[in-house]
Amino acid sequence: MPVSPSARLGMTAHKLLELTFSGQLKDEESMLYCWENEIRNHELEMRNNILEKHLVPLSLNTSNYKVKQIMTFNIVRILLREFNIQTKKVRKAESELWVQTKDEKIGGKIDSVKYADDGIYIIDYKTGAITDYFSNDNSVKEEYQEQLKIYAGLYYESHGVWPVKLILIGLDKSEYNIPFNHEECLNLLNDAKSHFDKLNKLITSGLDSTDFAAPSQAACRYCVYRPACKKYWTNREGNEQWPADFAGVVVEKKVLGNGLLKIVVENGEKKITIRGLSPERYPFLTNNMQEVMFCNLGRDTVQSYFKETPMTTGYSLS
Ligand code: SF4
């Protein structure tokens, strides 16, 4: 499936932060150059991919492109200022710091570690939403909290000292302090280790890779392997919580007045209608009675009716 334009913009923003941390991005000029260079590389890759070429240019197909670009530049400017101050005084921070457990089973790279007067701060920069959209109290996403707590445990295992603060910073410069205690950090690390051991045991026991798949609405929604994941297709339900994907045989096809296609796809007793399909994105639709799969459809106002979205992907299964 295609990588979403927002994800590509996020990768670009993170790349700029990485280059800043590593000292390769030094000033305003190199910041602008790096941004344009990264975007150009992404667009080149997209142009060569039939699933993504309609999403070029990123500036027109990514929501809030300009805002995210400005936010990234603002964070880079702050980091550049801080690094300049540090190089003139005593070094008070480290970036891209690798930390790991003593047995080397679990490791991770921390964006930034600051040595403040009251102790060590572990800082991670996020290019996407930090808070959980579905939570009532605007709390930080559970997975980000766990990530930082694991970093704290890893830092302790690597250096024998606990950090005093875990901080997440968003592109909009918003800061979130993650409360933590040592015991929960070590418990998370131990959980990760036993998960690692369990998986290794399953792999050596000769299980098939598909046996490891554990479909869920939350996990599968953003998974690019969905079209090929048998477990997903056998476990998914047709309700709105699951991605709007459908596989079946095209039993009707019509070219609409605007040149777009409308098709009816049937699978057993289920039948759906998809409208607004651009013929150039699905060249296989010129054949008749094709077995097809469509992922990331948009739900129309009427039940069993769907429409194309920029992220819709179609495959011929015949
Ligand atoms: S689609 Fe398959 S591989 Fe992807 S998250 Fe779901 S179960 Fe895992």
Side-chain angles (χ1 to χ4, degrees), residues 159-213:
H159 295 84
V161 186
W162 281 100
V164 293
K165 274 191 187 172
L166 305 180
I167 303 168
L168 280 166
I169 301 182
L171 278 187
D172 58 357
K173 295 191 252 174
S174 53
E175 268 193 44
Y176 298 84
N177 268 295
I178 311 297
F180 69 104
N181 64 55
H182 302 169
E183 196 187 345
E184 61 176 335
C185 297
L186 292 177
N187 285 344
L188 279 170
L189 259 192
N190 286 334
D191 285 352
K193 279 185 201 174
S194 59
H195 201 60
F196 175 89
D197 289 337
K198 226 188 279 171
L199 273 179
N200 269 347
K201 226 181 238 169
L202 288 172
I203 291 166
T204 47
S205 72
L207 278 185
D208 189 79
S209 58
T210 54
D211 294 323
F212 297 99

Side-chain angles (χ1 to χ4, degrees), residues 12-44:
T12 303
H14 223 269
K15 183 74 186 176
L16 257 74
L17 297 182
E18 257 177 60
L19 293 170
T20 313
F21 290 138
S22 65
Q24 293 173 65
L25 195 157
K26 292 184 169 60
D27 50 28
E28 198 78 11
E29 197 184 328
S30 55
M31 176 177 77
L32 292 171
Y33 173 80
C34 288
W35 177 273
E36 277 163 22
N37 195 40
E38 281 302 308
I39 294 290
R40 207 174 18 249
N41 288 341
H42 277 291
E43 290 182 342
L44 194 66

Side-chain angles (χ1 to χ4, degrees), residues 213-215 219-220 223 226 229 232:
C220 300
C223 177
R226 243 165 46 221
C229 180
Y232 165 74

